[in-house]
Amino acid sequence: MTSSSQRPVLVLFRDDFRLTDNPALHAACATGQPVLCATVQDEACMPGGVIGWWLAQAAQALTTALHNYGGPLLAPHGETLPVVLDLVKSFQVTDVFWNRRYDPTGTKIDTDLKAALTEHGVTVHSLSARLLHEPWAVRTGAGQPYRIFTAWWRAARELGDPGRPLPAPPTIEFAPIPKPFKKNLAPAALLQPTLPNDATEAKKYWPCSEEDARTSLDNFLEDTLEQYETSRDRPDQEGTSGLSPYLRAGLISPRQVWHAARQAQARSGDHANTEKFLSELCWRDFGWMQLFYQPDMPTRNLRSEFDQMPWQNDAEAFTAWKEGRTGYPLVDAGMRELLATGTMHNRVRMVVASFLTKHLLTDWRKGERWFYERLVDADPALNAMNWQWCAGTGIDASPWFRIFNPVGQSEKFDPSGAYIRTWVPELTALPDKLIHTPWKIDAALSRHLRFVPGTTYPHPIVDLKQARAIALESYKNLKTV
Ligand SMILES: Cc1cc2nc3c(=O)[nH]c(=O)nc-3n(C[C@H](O)[C@H](O)[C@H](O)COP(=O)(O)OP(=O)(O)OC[C@H]3O[C@@H](n4cnc5c(N)ncnc54)[C@H](O)[C@@H]3O)c2cc1C
């Protein structure tokens, strides 16, 4: 029998593919026992689509990072509980460490796993790393979860800055891997989900490592933070951090982002832009709090009166929306950006979601699923919360009668059409004043530019005024049901 100080401890990595600010890894190393690093490839926790590809890239990046420390990542396949019990028995593991998750599937798996491990005499250490504030940490005076973000944010601010991020462990003493387990070693054992063929730009847009995440953060703090309040709404500018895919895969932690922003603030003396950025970062916590308390948020209208909504769900219109062929340039640019890169600017996400649910009267759940399949930052809590926000069906949501006009939004936030021209090349030659309304081109210019509305670029699939009136009428009737 191996003495308990030589028996290993196990760290499980799940959407926290990093060495810095990783409390589970940090605490495992602090035991002084050999460390076994593993990620279980459990189908129940492995989404498909672009996010599936991205998480596999992140696991690959962690493999490389651990190799640089001189050790391996185990990546066994199968259901988490039997796989972990097998590792624990085979390696005589004394303790298992993980960072907590808050989605319904992950929470259930971890609860069952903790019970089984405890029964086997193994000590479980579950730590807080994914959020700045865990779902239950910020509550109303009556002990209830908040329903309004501004109230949540005010209460969260009173708790002060979150704890400082942890450094990467200086060294890791890895447990040796016996021969029968070599087949489980990453990278060979890692599944390699492929990108959809039309996601042509995703690899170029999203280099995947902890260092890449840090570079994005540093560049943002250096070049953009000081104008964030205004630049964040401009899809034609590099006005946001681009951190969401890195936060999603845990290549960077929210505490690292928070404290780096605070340091930048101390250097510059800026207040308003940093506060705005930190509050946006906290919408992430607010979304996770909502999912934790309402695990069916991705499928259920949080405001039940919308269960009666007479969605039209026109299949052709939905396809045109998905493919970026609605005839509204900003909508089409956004949807094509999503297809090619796996992302879309936040302002444009709001415009396309409003257009789908209100002008096309399509159930928000269809849009939510499509985004989940194609976003590189697809996140069960943030995607569902934001779709319900845009559709007016959520708590603290945009009211139904707030219907974004895709032409007005385009003129305001992409005035010269630079963003539209990037993603809708058939509009490139149009003058700025027509880029938002190409159907208004006159015959002479149409001939001169060889731009034929309806041929070169689709006619608008709905009349905005008429569609808006129908949307408002549907909602009015709904309230009287
Ligand atoms: C319909 C719709 C669907 C969305 N789906 C997702 C999703 O699946 N995954 C996702 O990460 N974000 C989602 N968002 C939120 C937002 O669009 C992205 O977080 C943002 O575009 C990411 O870009 P950034 O990192 O440059 O943001 P920045 O402006 O630099 O913000 C920094 C961080 O704050 C957080 N954040 C910013 N805006 C929001 C927001 N509205 N809600 C919650 N957190 C926010 C993100 O973690 C982001 O990385 C969605 C928004 C809409 C309108």
Side-chain angles (χ1 to χ4, degrees):
M1 181 85 179
T2 331
S3 83
S4 80
S5 65
Q6 288 163 341
R7 285 167 61 186
V9 297
L10 171 65
V11 185
L12 296 178
F13 290 85
R14 304 94 50 89
D15 298 358
D16 50 2
F17 297 108
R18 62 175 182 274
L19 302 186
T20 52
D21 198 30
N22 190 326
L25 177 65
H26 194 85
C29 292
T31 62
Q33 292 170 241
V35 177
L36 203 56
C37 294
T39 186
V40 181
Q41 300 189 89
D42 181 341
E43 269 178 32
C45 311
M46 296 175 80
V50 175
I51 183 64
W53 166 80
W54 177 247
L55 294 173
Q57 298 302 301
Q60 171 75 57
L62 176 69
T63 310
T64 308
L66 288 172
H67 274 176
N68 293 340
Y69 268 68
L73 177 69
L74 281 169
H77 299 219
E79 278 181 48
T80 303
L81 198 147
V83 165
V84 174
L85 285 183
D86 183 38
L87 287 177
V88 160
K89 282 185 210 155
S90 307
F91 286 82
Q92 298 189 304
V93 165
T94 62
D95 297 63
V96 179
F97 295 81
W98 67 65
N99 295 318
R100 276 193 281 284
R101 40 189 182 181
Y102 310 101
D103 62 294
T105 309
T107 310
K108 164 95 179 65
I109 290 175
D110 291 352
T111 307
D112 294 348
L113 182 59
K114 186 170 180 178
L117 288 169
T118 309
E119 208 180 295
H120 281 80
V122 175
T123 309
V124 172
H125 308 257
S126 89
L127 297 123
S128 161
R130 289 192 177 203
L131 301 174
L132 295 164
H133 305 284
E134 293 194 281
W136 47 86
V138 186
R139 289 173 164 271
T140 65
Q144 295 301 313
Y146 279 97
R147 295 179 65 83
I148 304 291
F149 176 75
T150 44
W152 181 98
W153 170 236
R154 219 175 296 124
R157 296 306 312 278
E158 277 170 22
L159 299 176
D161 282 350
R164 292 207 158 270
L166 299 162
T171 56
I172 304 174
E173 190 204 327
F174 289 94
I177 308 291
K179 207 163 173 206
F181 282 89
K182 298 258 188 218
K183 66 177 185 311
N184 289 328
L185 287 178
L190 286 175
L191 296 172
Q192 301 288 346
T194 48
L195 274 170
N197 286 341
D198 50 353
T200 47
E201 309 277 305
K203 279 188 191 147
K204 187 178 92 194
Y205 270 72
W206 300 113
C208 187
S209 71
E210 257 185 277
E211 291 71 35
D212 293 314
R214 187 70 215 193
T215 304
S216 291
L217 174 62
D218 291 344
N219 290 345
F220 168 73
L221 297 176
E222 184 73 26
D223 304 333
T224 314
L225 179 62
E226 280 184 53
Q227 311 96 50
Y228 181 74
E229 263 199 306
T230 46
S231 67
R232 63 182 287 271
D233 269 322
R234 294 291 298 265
D236 57 343
Q237 296 173 8
E238 299 269 323
T240 66
S241 68
L243 285 171
S244 54
Y246 299 111
L247 285 162
R248 172 64 176 87
L251 290 159
I252 198 162
S253 79
R255 278 195 295 249
Q256 290 174 304
V257 178
W258 179 285
H259 283 282
R262 275 270 181 263
Q263 282 160 11
Q265 180 180 31
R267 288 192 298 273
S268 69
D270 166 78
H271 179 75
N273 291 288
T274 312
E275 287 300 305
K276 184 70 192 160
F277 177 66
L278 295 178
S279 80
E280 288 303 315
L281 187 62
C282 276
W283 269 98
R284 188 172 169 272
D285 283 17
F286 191 64
W288 275 97
M289 181 205 66
Q290 287 190 37
L291 185 70
F292 184 75
Y293 288 110
Q294 302 180 96
D296 54 359
M297 180 167 69
T299 52
R300 180 175 64 86
N301 294 311
L302 295 184
R303 287 179 57 192
S304 58
E305 69 265 32
F306 279 89
D307 293 349
Q308 310 301 324
M309 191 70 180
W311 301 113
Q312 288 178 357
N313 291 332
D314 180 306
E316 264 183 49
F318 185 51
T319 304
W321 177 82
K322 286 198 294 188
E323 294 176 356
R325 292 187 291 100
T326 67
Y328 288 101
L330 185 64
V331 174
D332 293 345
M335 297 309 294
R336 295 188 200 182
E337 181 189 17
L338 173 66
L339 285 179
T341 67
T343 193
M344 191 194 299
H345 188 277
N346 180 59
R347 168 61 47 182
V348 189
R349 292 188 204 203
M350 294 196 287
V351 172
V352 304
S354 168
F355 185 78
L356 181 73
T357 53
K358 298 178 180 177
H359 287 109
L360 300 183
L361 266 185
T362 297
D363 191 328
W364 61 269
R365 285 165 279 220
K366 287 178 168 287
E368 193 271 349
R369 280 297 90 197
W370 180 244
F371 266 37
Y372 206 86
E373 205 176 314
R374 298 305 303 234
L375 278 173
V376 70
D377 63 11
D379 178 296
L382 307 193
N383 199 35
M385 171 184 70
N386 277 287
W387 272 96
Q388 295 231 34
W389 187 92
C390 292
T393 59
I395 56 171
D396 196 10
S398 173
W400 176 265
F401 54 77
R402 188 173 170 209
I403 301 179
F404 283 122
N405 180 319
V407 175
Q409 291 284 308
S410 184
E411 288 166 347
K412 186 165 176 193
F413 295 114
D414 184 26
S416 71
Y419 174 75
I420 291 171
R421 285 189 175 85
T422 305
W423 297 111
V424 190
E426 61 269 37
L427 298 177
T428 310
L430 293 188
D432 290 2
K433 78 175 177 31
L434 278 176
I435 193 97
H436 313 285
T437 50
W439 57 90
K440 290 188 177 164
I441 194 167
D442 65 35
L445 188 60
S446 167
R447 268 195 310 279
H448 175 68
L449 295 177
R450 297 180 183 204
F451 179 89
V452 185
T455 303
T456 318
Y457 179 69
H459 286 302
I461 58 169
V462 281
D463 175 78
L464 291 180
K465 218 166 148 190
Q466 205 178 28
R468 184 172 192 278
I470 295 171
L472 292 176
E473 189 64 17
S474 307
Y475 181 58
K476 207 170 83 199
N477 293 340
L478 187 68
K479 288 217 278 201
T480 56
V481 168

